[in-house]
Each structure stands twice: as structure tokens, then as C-alpha cells.
Amino acid sequence: MATNDTHDRLAVGPITDDDLLFVDDDRFAAGNVAVVTGAGSGIGRATALALAANGLTVAATDVDEGGLAGTGEEADRLGVAGRVESIVADLTDDDDIERIVDEAAELGAVRYLANIAGLQHIDAIEEFPIDRYDEMHDVMLRAPLYLSKLVVGRIRETDDGAGVVGNMASVHGRYVTADKVGYNVSKFGLRGLTQSIAAEGGDGLRAFSVSTGYVKTPLVTDQIPDTADQRGISVDEVIDDVMLGQSRVSELMDPVDVANLFVFGFTAHGSHLNGGDLLFDGGTTLTYE
């Protein structure tokens, strides 16, 4: 059972300008478009807002129409320099994936893609429902590949062929924990997709991934009770021992902290970030006691 203190630790306040990274970049202009998946909540919403705050037109897509409406309201509240345009779509549907990119192209030159949408399921391998795995694979790996295929084609058509694909990986794309086989496989695959785009890029086209520890998002908070049940521990122990047990930082990241990494990665300041992985995990994977 969660305590009030647990709720406080997982609470996320409204994004303000002070939270956002602002970067001068000639390509961060309303005529250029960033496609952001999972934009109805969590990291996807924060990334859509951060990119729009930096002047881009954002094609924000999610299966959750209400969530996207909330993202639009947040953009209005922030008074972003660019704009957020909602595209309700299902990443398990190829027609919807194609429509996302077509509608984004109607807004301007598609130069950026942030593959962020994700799912989670907690079960041991022998118990893992394969239909749930298929759904996770479609949303978290197949759709990013298909979107990348379509967006790279659009980037190649621009006047200078410059653009960036950013993929939301995870520490689980470097090492794994039990009972998350679907998530683990997808995150390892996203790093492979990132490096494949880099291998075929050049002349302004590049890709990077972002790997974080646990972030205060619905995907993370929703898995806490299942993890507690699976391991026979309390929800507070899940946070302290499972999520933060190896971290040298005692707090979970906010979604906007991750969004700022996408902002940096998309700018000219990240020109040598190609195929690389931005590891922001509080020391979780590279230190030990």
C-alpha cells in the first residue's frame, strides 16, 4: 500500500520556463516539424512542450485523445514560441503510422522524430503473455522503425538533408531486470535502430538514444504495485530498493529532465552525437558498492 510520502515522491508539478532548456538553433523554427510519439503524457508530453517552447512545430501523436488535449492546454499555458498540433493515432496500425508522417509534412518540413511511446508489463518469461509482448513490440520497436523509415525519407527531401531521430531507450537497453522481458528486448532493439540510422546517415542526418533510470511517469508509477506483488515487497521498497537501489541520486527524474535531453540532442550542439546514447541514470549502471 502506498503512503502519502510515496505519493509526494512521485508527484510531478507543472512545467515552467525555468525547467526548460532553451537553445539558439537556426533550425528551431516554426517551419520545421518534430514528430513526438507518446505525447499525451509523461516524457512524450514534456518533450513536445520543450521542443515547441524552442520554436518548433510539434506533431504530437498518441492514441489517447484526451491526453493530447491536455498537452495542447499545457502548451497554451506555457505560451510556447512554436506550436503543438495533435494527431490521434494508433502505433499498432500501419495506416495510422503513415498518416502521422503525412499530416506532419502538411505542417512544414519534417526534420525531427522523437520515438518515446512505451508500454510495460510485469511477468516472468514463462508467464509472459505473448499477445502483450506483440503489442509492446509493435508500439516500442516496430513503430519506431517504420516512423524512422518514413521520416528519414522526408528529411532526405529537405533542401539540406538535415534532421535527427531521437529514440527513448533506457538503462534496460544496457542491462536488464527480472520480469520485464518485453520492455528489455524493445529497449535493446531501439539502441540497435539508433546505430543503424547513424550508419546510414551522414550529411546532416543522424540519430541518438536517451537512456535514463526511472522517471516519474504513468508507465513507471503504474508498474510499482505489480512489481511489489511480483517480488513480495512494499511499494516503498520498490522505489528505494528496485528503482533507486543502485542509483547515486536519491530521487527519480522528472519528465522535463528527459525532454531537455531531446532538445539538446536535436540541436547543432549535438552534431557529433550520432549513434550515441545519452546515459542519465544517476550512476545506476556504471557504479556499484
Side-chain angles (χ1 to χ4, degrees), residues 170-268:
S170 169
V171 293
H172 292 92
R174 288 172 171 260
Y175 80 118
V176 306
T177 53
D179 305 321
K180 295 181 182 178
V181 63
Y183 193 83
N184 296 335
V185 169
S186 295
K187 294 305 185 182
F188 267 83
L190 280 175
R191 291 193 64 203
L193 172 61
T194 300
Q195 293 168 36
S196 296
I197 296 169
E200 298 180 19
D203 297 325
L205 171 64
R206 57 186 176 84
F208 67 93
S209 58
V210 173
S211 289
T212 67
Y214 292 91
V215 183
K216 290 184 278 188
T217 67
L219 183 146
V220 168
T221 57
D222 289 349
Q223 72 181 268
I224 292 175
D226 289 338
T227 301
D229 289 342
Q230 196 79 7
R231 302 191 180 207
I233 59 179
S234 71
V235 294
D236 290 306
E237 287 173 317
V238 172
I239 297 173
D240 291 327
D241 299 338
V242 178
M243 295 181 170
L244 293 172
Q246 291 178 225
S247 177
R248 299 297 173 258
V249 180
S250 60
E251 297 179 2
L252 303 179
M253 292 180 75
D254 283 342
V256 69
D257 297 327
V258 188
N260 288 334
L261 300 178
F262 280 93
V263 171
F264 170 78
F266 282 161
T267 69

Side-chain angles (χ1 to χ4, degrees), residues 43-289:
I43 296 170
R45 171 181 284 184
T47 300
L49 295 174
L51 294 172
N54 274 275
L56 285 167
T57 294
V58 176
T61 187
D62 202 297
V63 73
D64 180 4
E65 184 174 3
L68 284 178
T71 301
E73 292 168 2
E74 285 296 290
D76 292 340
R77 179 187 61 79
L78 277 170
V80 297
R83 60 188 171 124
V84 175
E85 297 290 338
S86 296
I87 302 175
V88 180
D90 183 349
L91 295 181
T92 68
D93 186 318
D94 283 359
D95 290 340
D96 274 15
I97 289 173
E98 293 164 6
R99 178 171 56 83
I100 290 167
V101 179
D102 288 343
E103 292 188 15
E106 293 174 2
L107 302 172
V110 180
R111 291 189 182 273
Y112 306 101
L113 169 62
N115 284 310
I116 295 174
L119 303 170
Q120 184 59 282
H121 184 88
I122 307 298
D123 250 328
I125 291 174
E126 66 270 24
E127 309 262 339
F128 209 93
I130 202 65
D131 57 342
R132 181 60 168 169
Y133 170 79
D134 289 340
E135 181 185 17
M136 295 177 74
H137 174 89
D138 286 349
V139 170
M140 297 171 66
L141 195 52
R142 188 181 185 280
L145 192 157
Y146 197 7
L147 284 167
S148 296
K149 167 186 167 71
L150 298 173
V151 167
V152 164
R154 295 285 183 173
I155 292 171
R156 300 285 197 197
E157 293 171 358
T158 61
D159 55 354
D160 56 6
V164 190
V165 175
N167 293 315
M168 187 66 217
S170 169
V171 293
H172 292 92
R174 288 172 171 260
Y175 80 118
V176 306
T177 53
D179 305 321
K180 295 181 182 178
V181 63
Y183 193 83
N184 296 335
V185 169
S186 295
K187 294 305 185 182
F188 267 83
L190 280 175
R191 291 193 64 203
L193 172 61
T194 300
Q195 293 168 36
S196 296
I197 296 169
E200 298 180 19
D203 297 325
L205 171 64
R206 57 186 176 84
F208 67 93
S209 58
V210 173
S211 289
T212 67
Y214 292 91
V215 183
K216 290 184 278 188
T217 67
L219 183 146
V220 168
T221 57
D222 289 349
Q223 72 181 268
I224 292 175
D226 289 338
T227 301
D229 289 342
Q230 196 79 7
R231 302 191 180 207
I233 59 179
S234 71
V235 294
D236 290 306
E237 287 173 317
V238 172
I239 297 173
D240 291 327
D241 299 338
V242 178
M243 295 181 170
L244 293 172
Q246 291 178 225
S247 177
R248 299 297 173 258
V249 180
S250 60
E251 297 179 2
L252 303 179
M253 292 180 75
D254 283 342
V256 69
D257 297 327
V258 188
N260 288 334
L261 300 178
F262 280 93
V263 171
F264 170 78
F266 282 161
T267 69
H269 296 287
S271 61
H272 288 273
L273 178 61
N274 197 12
D277 182 55
L278 290 174
L279 178 63
F280 275 64
D281 70 344
T284 295
T285 59
L286 300 179
T287 65
Y288 67 93
E289 292 181 341

